[in-house]
């Protein structure tokens, strides 16, 4: 019972409840929200954020951050366009792009774990570097003539219904990441590292190597997101996904992952992603401009970190008062 | 101006000796800057034409003003990602007000910009301190929120250069004894904030908070007030940056200054301010701003693809933090060695 109450009070269940409430409210109150075309677009819109949020959740749980993901997406998109212009087949380009993403992640990983540099600073640096390289590769040109079989698959739906093809990909990856994070010793070690990395090291966890591979995976997923982004809009551009890193970080923190590390869950994060996407979508259907929606994103982000602190503070003071009320003898 | 809170008791200022110049961290940037300017000027003499130098200085001025504020926050071991949005909000507000009140003097515009920035800074600082939330998260949130406010107010509108009063536009280009006003303002800001950080109690306390927040708290430093002060300085200077931006470019819309925070962080980090707080100088941040601007125009003059600029900036940030780490490791090692003799 007390475990249940603890779980109900934890932020990630709160965010799941809010998400369900907003979903229900929007389907009833917002015209066209419930229609199947809108559902498809909603999923397509949240796909890159959700994908990148999977490894980002793990990275933030270990107490680090990766701000370079959106630039990695842009650089892989630019490289994809360039390779396509050079006449490579799309079947070779796609795995190559994921591999390049992994390499870019490995660069972050080496700088952070081998040289011991702070991840925030490193990935702000590579954020600028990778985006710059994307422009070096493709300039301000756009490559658009990708084969329809691939672009059609990304924007298409299963049997012409409301469920987009890419949702399968997202679900599969989310299940893999969920199992790894919450049901394996490796996943537990990530929480341990985030809670106290020295203690984790003393208990035999190779902290540096773990973090290194997280960055490699983060880069690979960002590369995959770059491929999907390019195919969805049939447009390889150097500025694809600019600013997306902030939406991802916002979704991860909104989903109850502690920025200090050691705390969080994948379903919390996925509902954070969903909440952001649903709110944006519903408000946009009501003609609120996309940019003005930033207020909602910003306030949600601040609230998501403030509220748990306030709740914890109130609970602490209640606890202390109760302790004082108990006579010393009965302790 | 937001500089120099009243001093209660000035601790002994570090005395300046000419020999210290060689030990300065900023020496590297100065040398890189000189080498870059020399190389560019030799290959393309028009790089040192008065118009080109003037453009570089004007662009540096805005970046340096905002970077000076950011440096204070970073030295305190925080970060302020909202500066680009504050700059945009201030630029649009000031331009709109000037559009409707053509007679308003420049001083009023500057005051308005500073005030908007200060309010934004108070919000940031209060959320960081009283909400007990890392500045990265808070200012990421307010970055969205402030930008959203500007958008929901301005929508797709823009204020164009022919709608704002003449004297407002002329200010950016006017000079005093040959030095443009913008540059003078930047110099005053850097000198003022630099002096505050170097010689006044509040500045030393901000360094102490950056070196070790816990120790600073135990030593009785007013963490709450100082955190607010740091964010108010950063916000106000971003607001001032907005006024200068509007005056220099005349045309302002809701997206003005979008992404500017990245350049500002780059200037500060490249200028030798450690991202983990506790060290670095304001004039270093100013030099960082100058270096970034010079790289930009050198690339243009040398006819190198402009797209390289951002890549170079990124590489510079990585290099700068790498070098910083190297220095820190070295110092730690030499300290340990010295201690072992005791």
């Amino acid at each position: 019972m007390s475990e249940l109450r603890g779980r109900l009070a934890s932020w990630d269940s709160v965010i799941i409840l809010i998400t369900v409430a907003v979903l229900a409210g929007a389907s009833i109150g917002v015209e066209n929200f419930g229609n199947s075309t809108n559902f498809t677009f909603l999923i397509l819109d949240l796909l890159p954020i959700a994908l990148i949020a999977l490894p980002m959740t793990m990275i933030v749980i270990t107490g680090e951050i990766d701000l370079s993901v959106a630039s990695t997406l842009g650089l892989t998109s630019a490289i994809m366009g360039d390779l396509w212009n050079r006449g490579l087949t799309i079947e070779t380009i796609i795995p190559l792009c994921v591999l390049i993403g992994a390499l870019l992640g490995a660069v972050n990983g080496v700088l952070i774990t081998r040289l011991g540099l702070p991840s925030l600073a490193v990935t702000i640096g590579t954020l600028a570097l990778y985006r710059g390289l994307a422009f070096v590769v493709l300039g301000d040109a756009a490559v658009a003539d990708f084969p329809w079989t691939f672009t059609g698959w990304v924007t298409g739906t299963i049997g012409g219904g409301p469920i987009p093809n890419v949702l399968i990909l997202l679900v599969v990856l989310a299940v893999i990441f969920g199992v790894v994070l919450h049901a394996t010793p490796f996943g537990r070690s990530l929480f341990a590292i985030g809670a106290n990395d020295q203690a984790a090291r003393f208990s035999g966890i190779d902290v540096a190597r773990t973090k290194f591979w997280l960055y490699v995976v983060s880069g690979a997923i960002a590369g995959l997101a770059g491929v999907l982004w390019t195919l969805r809009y049939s447009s390889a551009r150097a500025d694809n996904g600019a600013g997306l890193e902030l939406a991802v970080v916002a979704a991860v923190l909104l989903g109850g992952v502690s920025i200090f590390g050691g705390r969080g869950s994948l379903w919390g994060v996925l509902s954070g992603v969903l909440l952001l996407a649903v709110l944006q979508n519903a408000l946009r259907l009501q003609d609120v401009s996309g940019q003005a929606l930033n207020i909602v994103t910003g306030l949600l982000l601040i609230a998501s970190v403030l509220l748990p602190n306030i709740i914890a503070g109130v609970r602490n003071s209640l606890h202390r008062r109760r302790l004082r009320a108990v006579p010393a003898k009965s302790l | 101006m937001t500089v120099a809170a009243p001093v209660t008791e000035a601790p002994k200022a570090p005395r300046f000796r000419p020999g210290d110049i060689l030990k300065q961290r900023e020496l590297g940037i100065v040398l890189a800057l000189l080498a870059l300017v020399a190389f560019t000027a030799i290959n393309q003499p028009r790089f040192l034409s008065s118009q080109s130098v003037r453009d570089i200085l004007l662009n540096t001025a805005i970046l340096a003003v905002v970077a000076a504020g950011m440096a204070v926050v970073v030295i305190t071991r925080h970060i302020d990602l909202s500066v680009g949005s504050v700059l945009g909000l201030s630029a649009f507000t000031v331009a709109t007000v000037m559009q409707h009140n053509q007679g308003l003097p420049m001083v009023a515009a500057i005051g308005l910009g500073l005030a908007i920035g200060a309010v934004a800074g108070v919000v940031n600082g209060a959320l960081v301190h009283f909400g007990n939330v890392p500045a990265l998260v808070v200012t990421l949130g307010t970055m969205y929120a402030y930008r959203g406010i500007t958008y929901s107010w301005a929508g797709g509108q823009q204020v164009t250069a022919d709608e704002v009063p003449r004297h407002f536009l002329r200010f950016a280009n006017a000079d005093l004894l040959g030095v443009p006003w913008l540059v003078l303002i930047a110099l005053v800001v850097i000198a003022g904030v630099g002096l505050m950080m170097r010689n006044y109690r509040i500045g030393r306390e901000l360094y102490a908070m950056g070196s070790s927040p816990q120790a600073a708290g135990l030593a009785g430093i007013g963490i709450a007030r100082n955190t607010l002060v740091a964010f108010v300085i950063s916000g106000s200077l971003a607001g001032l940056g907005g006024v200068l931006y509007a005056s220099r470019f005349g045309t302002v819309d809701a997206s003005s200054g979008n992404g500017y925070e990245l350049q500002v962080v780059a200037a500060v980090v490249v200028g030798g301010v450690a991202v983990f707080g506790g060290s670095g100088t304001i004039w270093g941040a100013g030099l960082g701003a100058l270096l970034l601007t010079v790289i930009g125009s050198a690339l243009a003059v040398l006819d190198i693809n402009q797209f390289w600029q951002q890549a170079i900036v990124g590489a510079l940030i990585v290099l700068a933090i790498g070098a910083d780490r190297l220095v820190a490791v070295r110092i730690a090692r030499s300290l340990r060695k010295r201690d072992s003799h005791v």
Side-chain angles (χ1 to χ4, degrees), chain A residues 99-299:
Chain A
L99 191 70
I100 289 168
L103 273 175
L104 297 173
V107 172
N108 283 333
V110 166
L111 290 171
I112 292 163
T113 61
R114 298 292 148 206
L115 303 186
L117 302 175
S119 60
L120 175 66
V122 167
T123 55
I124 283 183
T126 50
L127 180 154
L129 177 62
Y130 295 168
R131 183 66 69 187
L133 290 176
F135 279 104
V136 171
V137 170
L138 209 56
D140 45 16
V143 180
D145 52 344
F146 294 101
W148 194 84
T149 36
F150 286 87
T151 56
W153 186 84
V154 172
T155 50
T157 58
I158 300 171
I163 301 168
N165 294 324
V166 288
L167 188 60
I168 315 170
L169 188 69
L170 177 60
V171 169
V172 170
L173 282 171
V175 168
I176 295 174
F177 274 84
V179 168
V180 169
L181 180 62
H182 293 292
T184 65
F186 177 79
R188 296 310 305 166
S189 77
L190 300 183
F191 287 95
I193 292 171
N196 186 337
D197 67 340
Q198 283 208 326
R201 197 160 33 234
F202 288 139
S203 56
I205 297 169
D206 191 338
V207 175
R209 203 201 314 166
T210 308
K211 285 183 177 173
F212 173 80
W213 285 109
L214 287 184
Y215 280 99
V216 172
V217 173
S218 175
I221 294 280
L224 177 66
V227 169
L228 293 172
W229 185 293
T230 309
L231 292 177
R232 182 196 167 182
Y233 297 102
S234 301
S235 174
R237 292 178 56 89
D239 62 354
N240 275 349
L244 200 72
E245 66 279 345
L246 301 174
V248 174
V249 172
V252 168
L253 298 176
L254 195 59
V257 179
S258 162
I259 187 78
F260 299 113
R263 205 151 44 78
S265 73
L266 206 66
W267 41 84
V269 169
L270 288 174
S271 45
V273 173
L274 189 61
L275 177 59
L276 271 184
V278 168
L279 272 177
Q280 303 247 339
N281 181 289
L283 290 174
R284 205 173 291 140
L285 284 176
Q286 299 194 310
D287 279 340
V288 179
S289 92
Q291 289 292 344
L293 290 179
N294 282 345
I295 301 182
V296 178
T297 313
L299 293 183

Side-chain angles (χ1 to χ4, degrees), chain A residues 18-106:
Chain A
I18 296 177
T19 308
V20 172
V22 169
L23 259 178
S27 342
I28 298 166
V30 180
E31 207 181 337
N32 288 332
F33 180 81
N35 104 27
S36 66
T37 321
N38 188 51
F39 176 79
T40 312
F41 275 109
L42 179 70
I43 301 296
L44 284 176
D45 282 345
L46 66 75
L47 178 78
I49 298 178
L51 280 181
I52 297 174
L54 300 174
M56 184 75 88
T57 304
M58 293 183 166
I59 289 179
V60 178
I61 283 176
T62 63
E64 305 284 348
I65 200 162
D66 184 356
L67 293 180
S68 72
V69 281
S71 299
T72 304
L73 187 159
L75 179 49
T76 32
S77 179
I79 290 175
M80 191 174 168
D82 187 54
L83 293 179
W84 178 248
N85 272 349
R86 287 167 195 268
L88 269 72
T89 63
I90 199 100
E91 289 85 353
T92 28
I93 291 177
I94 292 177
L96 209 57
C97 280
V98 176
L99 191 70
I100 289 168
L103 273 175
L104 297 173

